[in-house]
Amino acid sequence: MKNIGILEFHCHVKYLYTLAKICKTKNTNVTIFTTNHLYSKVTTYIKNINDYDIVLKKDDESLSSFFQHVEKICNEKIDLLFINTIQKTMLDFPLFFSFKPKCKMILTIHTANAWFYEKPSVDFKKIFRTVDTNFSTFFGRKVILPKFNGLNVIYSPIKDFIVEKTPYSKPVFTFPFGFYDKVVEKTPKKDDEIIFVVPGQVEEHRRDYDVVMDAFESVFKKHGNKIKLYLLGYPVGAYGKRIHSRCEELKKQGYNIIFYDHFVPEDDYNKTMKNVDFLILPIKILSRGVGVTPEYYGITKGSAAVFEAIQYARPMIVPDEFNMLSEMETSTLKYKNATDMADQINRLVENHNKIKILQDESFQNSEKFSLDKLQVYFEEEIIKKFDQI
């Protein structure tokens, strides 16, 4: 029986849930180390929370004290510790300079360039962030990474990038951001309306909503009574408000578009996602995230939205340059620009057989990411090869 620990003290609640579910098998005990705030959120996902040992940071406890407590428990009973998130900033790194549990450790990295980029990153408008980013990358690569026995990434092309483009030589594992939990039934459409959704916050640095709005302005004019579009997230900043203004104009013209000015409650979000036909993911490939180092979605950085398509077994529409998971290619359409997106949607509206084919493929593809298959991967790659890690 192996004792697995999972430490998450920043964010990524959904991934904490995913990893906890994958690691909890008949051959393991799992201990979750987290904060009260994150614990209150993860219990909305984990229904059988009593299957896990829980160690919580006290509200009045410093992070350094909490880490000492985690280290003590790891020394007493943990065989392998997953650390889900280290923010690439010098504010986080002091916590790990003296953190040396006796157990083996695997670090999940969400942005590969932030750890391995060897060129200086410069943004003269963000001097402090530039200094912090470059020091973080250097110390992360030289001081933090050697503490770990291996890395974990959420998106298999990130593993390919690390293995092929960096000098990192320790094992790299892939535990995806989400899994297919088979709660969505495969049912025929009850009407002719085709429902599209763009999941996530309406944020400028993450997604190109203008290309979606341009495409649907065209599609609505041709097939307005046959389609519905959801923007399933709240607007962020001036960009989000501008996109919502475009939505309001389309709504005034009588088109079926639904958008939100507030956080979408989990129950409403799930209900909508279970009833949509297609996910549109207008991902912006270049991203700089927290620091100033360039990251590329689909190459050095993963997109959680892809795993929502997997979770709900729905086909996707993504930019042509996005590096899609090979397992999902047969349920994915790609577009080059707004006109191309509009043309592809028009063809879907006019050919329901094509929709059925893509939806059938999406269920078959999602099965590749079912919990039982991911647990087999965990057993084969971690538990059985534990001594080699």
Side-chain angles (χ1 to χ4, degrees):
M1 185 72 71
K2 294 295 183 184
N3 289 294
I4 310 298
I6 305 172
L7 170 62
E8 175 58 81
F9 63 102
H10 268 303
C11 48
H12 291 131
V13 173
K14 189 70 176 288
Y15 192 58
L16 174 57
Y17 159 70
T18 296
L19 200 54
K21 293 289 286 185
I22 293 172
C23 291
K24 184 69 179 96
T25 72
K26 65 180 184 298
N27 298 314
T28 62
N29 295 315
V30 176
T31 300
I32 296 173
F33 302 95
T34 191
T35 65
N36 279 308
H37 174 66
L38 297 180
Y39 176 73
S40 66
K41 292 187 175 182
V42 81
T43 52
T44 65
Y45 297 108
I46 300 180
K47 306 306 179 185
N48 51 340
I49 197 66
N50 292 330
D51 288 349
Y52 304 88
D53 294 331
I54 307 295
V55 178
L56 297 177
K57 174 186 171 296
K58 299 175 184 177
D59 291 337
D60 60 350
E61 183 180 17
S62 68
L63 276 173
S64 60
S65 174
F66 177 59
F67 268 60
Q68 290 174 14
H69 185 42
V70 172
E71 183 173 331
K72 182 176 183 296
I73 294 173
C74 286
N75 289 340
E76 292 173 350
K77 73 170 191 176
I78 299 299
D79 298 304
L80 173 65
L81 176 67
F82 284 92
I83 295 182
N84 272 14
T85 311
I86 298 180
Q87 298 281 29
K88 281 306 287 22
T89 166
M90 290 302 292
L91 295 176
D92 258 14
F93 283 177
L95 294 168
F96 291 91
F97 287 156
S98 59
F99 185 68
K100 298 178 180 178
K102 297 176 183 178
C103 64
K104 295 183 177 182
M105 295 193 295
I106 294 175
L107 171 64
T108 298
I109 64 170
H110 302 271
T111 49
N113 268 346
W115 290 92
F116 293 105
Y117 204 66
E118 295 187 352
K119 298 178 182 178
S121 301
V122 179
D123 186 338
F124 292 108
K125 295 180 180 179
K126 301 177 180 178
I127 298 301
F128 174 78
R129 186 67 72 192
T130 293
V131 173
D132 183 65
T133 296
N134 287 291
F135 270 107
S136 295
T137 300
F138 177 80
F139 280 106
R141 187 167 62 246
K142 298 295 184 180
V143 179
I144 303 300
L145 288 185
K147 289 175 173 284
F148 291 87
N149 301 88
L151 297 178
N152 170 47
V153 296
I154 68 168
Y155 199 73
S156 56
I158 304 177
K159 175 180 177 177
D160 297 337
F161 174 84
I162 293 172
V163 171
E164 297 171 7
K165 304 294 185 181
T166 78
Y168 192 78
S169 59
K170 293 181 182 179
V172 182
F173 305 98
T174 304
F175 292 95
F177 192 84
F179 58 87
Y180 177 48
D181 53 14
K182 303 183 182 182
V183 298
V184 180
E185 295 182 2
K186 185 176 179 182
T187 57
K189 287 182 63 60
K190 297 179 181 179
D191 53 46
D192 291 334
E193 184 179 61
I194 304 173
I195 303 174
F196 299 86
V197 63
V198 186
Q201 297 171 187
V202 185
E203 269 185 297
E204 184 173 16
H205 77 277
R206 292 179 181 273
R207 301 173 188 88
D208 185 353
Y209 281 85
D210 280 306
V211 73
V212 177
M213 303 310 297
D214 290 346
F216 273 83
E217 283 181 358
S218 171
V219 176
F220 273 130
K221 291 177 181 177
K222 189 172 184 179
H223 298 292
N225 62 334
K226 297 180 181 179
I227 59 173
K228 179 187 291 186
L229 173 64
Y230 281 89
L231 268 59
L232 204 58
Y234 62 90
V236 177
Y239 177 82
K241 291 179 180 179
R242 181 174 64 78
I243 295 300
H244 269 215
S245 294
R246 296 189 67 178
C247 292
E248 289 169 355
E249 287 300 315
L250 288 172
K251 198 169 188 67
K252 287 178 183 177
Q253 297 175 44
Y255 298 126
N256 206 347
I257 182 168
I258 295 90
F259 51 98
Y260 298 80
D261 60 4
H262 56 269
F263 176 80
V264 183
E266 190 75 21
D267 288 344
D268 294 344
Y269 192 94
N270 285 332
K271 183 178 179 181
T272 300
M273 292 292 285
K274 288 178 181 179
N275 289 292
V276 303
D277 296 299
F278 285 89
L279 270 64
I280 299 178
L281 312 180
I283 298 165
K284 285 188 173 180
I285 305 302
L286 176 62
S287 169
R288 293 189 184 272
V290 175
V292 298
T293 301
E295 302 288 351
Y296 300 91
Y297 275 103
I299 300 174
T300 68
K301 183 179 176 71
S303 173
V306 172
F307 295 100
E308 289 196 287
I310 291 170
Q311 178 185 350
Y312 295 100
R314 294 294 182 260
M316 292 171 276
I317 302 175
V318 303
D320 185 62
E321 66 267 31
F322 181 69
N323 189 18
M324 178 51 68
L325 295 170
S326 60
E327 296 93 338
M328 305 304 295
E329 286 181 352
T330 59
S331 57
T332 302
L333 297 177
K334 292 192 170 186
Y335 65 87
K336 296 178 180 178
N337 50 43
T339 301
D340 190 26
M341 180 191 288
D343 289 343
Q344 297 214 45
I345 293 173
N346 284 329
R347 286 195 288 271
L348 289 172
V349 176
E350 295 160 5
N351 184 356
H352 280 214
N353 186 55
K354 175 67 172 177
I355 297 174
K356 183 180 183 305
I357 291 172
L358 287 167
Q359 291 181 338
D360 287 345
E361 288 289 333
S362 69
F363 273 89
Q364 293 180 34
N365 291 339
S366 287
E367 283 283 356
K368 301 169 188 175
F369 294 88
S370 63
L371 180 59
D372 54 347
K373 286 184 172 60
L374 294 174
Q375 287 180 328
V376 168
Y377 171 80
F378 171 66
E379 292 275 357
E380 295 291 331
E381 296 299 318
I382 298 291
I383 301 301
K384 289 185 179 180
K385 301 178 182 177
F386 184 81
D387 293 334
Q388 301 172 29
I389 297 174

